[in-house]
Amino acid sequence: MMESQLWNWILPLLISSLFISIVAFYGFFVKPKRNSIRHDRTVSTVTSDVGSVNITGDTVADVIVVGAGVAGSALAYTLGKDKRRVHVIERDLSEPDRIVGELLQPGGYLKLLELGIEDCVEEIDAQRVYGYALFKDGKRIRLAYPLEKFHEDVSGRSFHNGRFIQRMREKAASLPNVQLEQGTVVSLLEENGTIKGVRYKNKAGEEQTAFAALTIVCDGCFSNLRRSLCNPQVEVPSCFVGLVLENCNLPYANHGHVVLADPSPILMYPISSTEVRCLVDVPGQKVPSIANGEMKNYLKTVVAPQMPHEVYDSFIAAIDKGNIKSMPNRSMPASPYPTPGALLMGDAFNMRHPLTGGGMTVALADIVVLRNLLRPLRDLSDGASLCKYLESFYTLRKPVAATINTLANALYQVFCSSENEARNEMREACFDYLGLGGMCTSGPVSLLSGLNPRPLTLVCHFFAVAIYGVIRLLIPFPSPKRIWLGAKLISGASGIIFPIIKAEGVRQMFFPATVPAYYRAPPVKGETKCS
């Protein structure tokens, strides 16, 4: 009761003080705008590469989409449904086999509904997800998604990534004005600073060129084209080691499970009616060798003893079966170069730690923003004026995308164990704060689920956790040591979240309406400048 009353007056005061702090930090955090086009091996000039081809007349497609993953397939269907001629070029059209991109948050499912592709989670044995369960040192708490105000069909979904993508590709290819082709894009084609199309090798290995008014690059986290369209600052904080647990009964059915293990979190969630995905996070860029048995030994001796007892046997069986995969976890803030004739989307454009499963939600939300911007336009051929207009895309997407990105990257740092005593206090405080109930639970979970991606709400709850940790230290008797530890906790919390916010951009994240591009109107004939 005392804690509940305490938070009733602390949080309003916290919101006000944080708002003032953000404004004060604004001058420090804002980054200069870049608008130059990089010239590297992924950009070729049209004149030297295609010689006498006439590109001033009608092109085959309105839009070229490079990549047919979640972002590319959804985008192709969305633009095709709006009567655009879309040419999709995907490196490999066979069913992908990945260990991430398998959990779609409720906020992402709402975007599927908005785009009219919600049927893509049907007939793939997708499982409904209604919340999370957290485990730490023998304690466990259940966190339910706040779905009371939504239709009963709205929830998270978890599935095999490859099955979901194949359904999306089939959906896109079902439109007569969408061409889906297997090929490897080698470079973008540029003429006088404007991207006119792509050069690619088709399935037979023959070199081809394709032209369109707008080229949208969605070729994933390993993109070889992004350097010409953005300033990539890719970080790899950890790697995921993935296993499939068969016939495993999770402690909480239809929930994601997060174990706050040492040294870093373990995730589990159902991906079919008989399979559970387990992702073991390994800090750093190197993992124990799978080939020589080091990985099996690590999983059995370090990880297995920290697993909930309900899944222990299934976890050991999965290790013995040996189908162990690993992949690096990448993080990259969006830092685009506005480029006439081209745009970046999906993981090629923006990545965050996959701990919170927010990547598909960000990609689908971006597609909704882009669709709404392009709908008033019949003609996309004026690359320069279109480029200027689409600068609003980067601003309009930012509050949602930056909230999900910041939450994922900050929460990962909080959930990892540390030799730093203050950081471990923050970890313990976060676990207990989420278990308080009321808005201390529903607020963070609404952010995690993508149902309420508001930047200020995120910052308020993050520092509420830190203040809660300090109060725990000072009660019942504050000692100099505990006061100093509390100060280090606040300092550590600031050191986690402020650099992430700085990379995302404070002005666009918190004050998008102050950015001129926010009000940019659709281009009219005669506009030629791309600022």
Side-chain angles (χ1 to χ4, degrees):
M1 180 67 70
M2 184 187 73
E3 286 180 332
S4 177
Q5 292 174 345
L6 192 62
W7 290 112
N8 282 338
W9 64 265
I10 281 182
L11 282 178
L13 178 63
L14 183 64
I15 291 172
S16 302
S17 62
L18 284 173
F19 187 84
I20 295 170
S21 299
I22 290 167
V23 174
F25 273 103
Y26 170 77
F28 172 70
F29 281 141
V30 133
K31 295 191 292 185
K33 182 179 179 181
R34 299 181 178 93
N35 57 10
S36 60
I37 300 176
R38 285 179 59 96
H39 295 269
D40 56 23
R41 63 183 181 85
T42 61
V43 177
S44 305
T45 58
V46 174
T47 52
S48 63
D49 291 317
V50 295
S52 60
V53 174
N54 178 15
I55 62 169
T56 58
D58 293 335
T59 57
V60 175
D62 298 310
V63 180
I64 291 172
V65 177
V66 181
V70 172
S73 300
L75 180 63
Y77 176 77
T78 300
L79 297 180
K81 196 169 64 170
D82 284 349
K83 309 303 181 185
R84 309 279 185 193
R85 296 168 297 168
V86 184
H87 184 185
V88 186
I89 306 172
E90 162 59 35
R91 182 182 59 83
D92 185 0
L93 288 175
S94 62
E95 183 174 310
D97 184 12
R98 303 182 66 203
I99 64 172
V100 293
E102 298 173 316
L103 178 60
L104 180 68
Q105 297 289 359
Y109 183 76
L110 289 176
K111 296 303 176 184
L112 288 184
L113 288 170
E114 197 169 345
L115 295 170
I117 51 178
E118 69 279 5
D119 57 337
C120 291
V121 297
E122 298 173 1
E123 300 178 7
I124 60 172
D125 200 15
Q127 303 298 297
R128 291 173 180 264
V129 179
Y130 296 110
Y132 277 87
L134 264 59
F135 299 78
K136 185 181 186 298
D137 300 331
K139 299 181 292 184
R140 55 181 67 185
I141 55 176
R142 177 179 169 272
L143 309 173
Y145 290 142
L147 300 173
E148 299 81 7
K149 297 180 181 179
F150 298 94
H151 186 272
E152 63 180 11
D153 191 49
V154 177
S155 67
R157 296 292 196 280
S158 53
F159 38 69
H160 280 273
N161 172 267
R163 295 177 188 175
F164 180 55
I165 286 178
Q166 290 302 90
R167 287 280 287 158
M168 300 268 276
R169 290 172 177 173
E170 292 168 7
K171 184 86 170 177
S174 68
L175 298 176
N177 50 319
V178 175
Q179 177 191 357
L180 191 59
E181 180 181 5
Q182 183 163 307
T184 302
V185 174
V186 178
S187 64
L188 303 174
L189 298 177
E190 178 190 343
E191 182 186 67
N192 299 326
T194 299
I195 301 301
K196 297 293 186 178
V198 299
R199 184 202 286 114
Y200 68 102
K201 291 184 179 179
N202 63 17
K203 190 175 181 179
E206 301 166 337
E207 191 167 286
Q208 305 281 328
T209 55
F211 298 98
L214 179 62
T215 299
I216 304 178
V217 176
C218 310
D219 56 345
C221 61
F222 299 103
S223 174
N224 66 336
L225 302 175
R226 69 160 66 101
R227 287 191 177 278
S228 57
L229 301 174
C230 75
N231 177 31
Q233 299 173 342
V234 180
E235 295 182 0
V236 183
S238 67
C239 298
F240 266 159
V241 176
L243 306 94
V244 174
L245 313 187
E246 297 178 340
N247 300 310
C248 172
N249 293 318
L250 289 170
Y252 298 88
N254 300 103
H255 281 65
H257 292 60
V258 183
V259 182
L260 273 63
D262 184 5
S264 52
I266 303 165
L267 307 183
M268 291 178 288
Y269 48 85
I271 55 174
S272 75
S273 54
T274 60
E275 297 166 301
V276 169
R277 170 66 71 194
C278 177
L279 295 172
V280 178
D281 186 86
V282 179
Q285 300 184 22
K286 292 183 179 180
V287 299
S289 172
I290 296 175
N292 65 12
E294 288 180 5
M295 179 61 75
K296 281 189 175 183
N297 182 62
Y298 175 82
L299 293 174
K300 286 185 175 182
T301 59
V302 177
V303 179
Q306 303 182 74
M307 299 292 284
H309 64 87
E310 295 95 333
V311 303
Y312 180 86
D313 291 341
S314 297
F315 184 71
I316 295 296
I319 297 171
D320 290 337
K321 188 173 182 179
N323 187 20
I324 303 171
K325 299 179 180 179
S326 67
M327 67 160 290
N329 294 324
R330 290 173 165 80
S331 174
M332 184 185 77
S335 184
Y337 302 128
T339 305
L343 201 65
L344 274 170
M345 297 277 288
D347 282 352
F349 175 46
N350 184 202
M351 295 180 282
R352 76 292 310 147
H353 196 283
L355 173 69
T356 59
M360 289 188 288
T361 301
V362 171
L364 294 169
D366 284 353
I367 291 169
V368 171
V369 172
L370 183 63
R371 177 201 64 181
N372 294 341
L373 287 172
L374 292 180
R375 268 186 171 169
L377 307 180
R378 286 189 175 183
D379 185 7
L380 305 179
S381 61
D382 188 344
S385 58
L386 180 64
C387 166
K388 183 176 181 180
Y389 172 58
L390 288 183
E391 285 182 10
S392 60
F393 166 75
Y394 302 119
T395 301
L396 293 171
R397 71 175 292 274
K398 183 61 76 169
V400 171
T403 300
I404 294 173
N405 294 343
T406 303
L407 175 65
N409 294 332
L411 202 59
Y412 174 71
Q413 293 186 54
V414 171
F415 277 3
C416 286
S417 64
S418 172
E419 296 180 358
N420 185 307
E421 188 178 3
R423 184 68 65 87
N424 282 329
E425 284 290 340
M426 181 76 174
R427 188 187 194 213
E428 186 73 32
C430 183
F431 182 87
D432 290 345
Y433 179 88
L434 291 171
L436 289 175
M439 65 179 176
C440 297
T441 299
S442 61
V445 176
S446 69
L447 292 164
L448 177 68
S449 63
L451 296 172
N452 180 32
R454 297 181 180 177
L456 193 57
T457 302
L458 167 62
V459 176
C460 286
H461 279 288
F462 188 83
F463 279 101
V465 169
I467 293 172
Y468 176 68
V470 172
I471 292 173
R472 284 158 38 102
L473 286 170
L474 301 182
I475 293 176
F477 302 109
S479 65
K481 181 180 178 181
R482 286 174 169 266
I483 293 172
W484 176 242
L485 184 57
K488 289 199 295 183
L489 194 157
I490 295 292
S491 175
S494 301
I496 288 173
I497 199 167
F498 281 143
I500 300 172
I501 292 175
K502 179 181 179 181
E504 291 291 338
V506 167
R507 187 180 180 188
Q508 287 182 314
M509 185 173 175
F510 291 93
F511 312 109
T514 69
V515 180
Y518 185 85
Y519 303 98
R520 200 139 292 166
V524 295
K525 219 169 186 180
E527 289 185 350
T528 58
K529 183 182 178 183
C530 178
S531 58

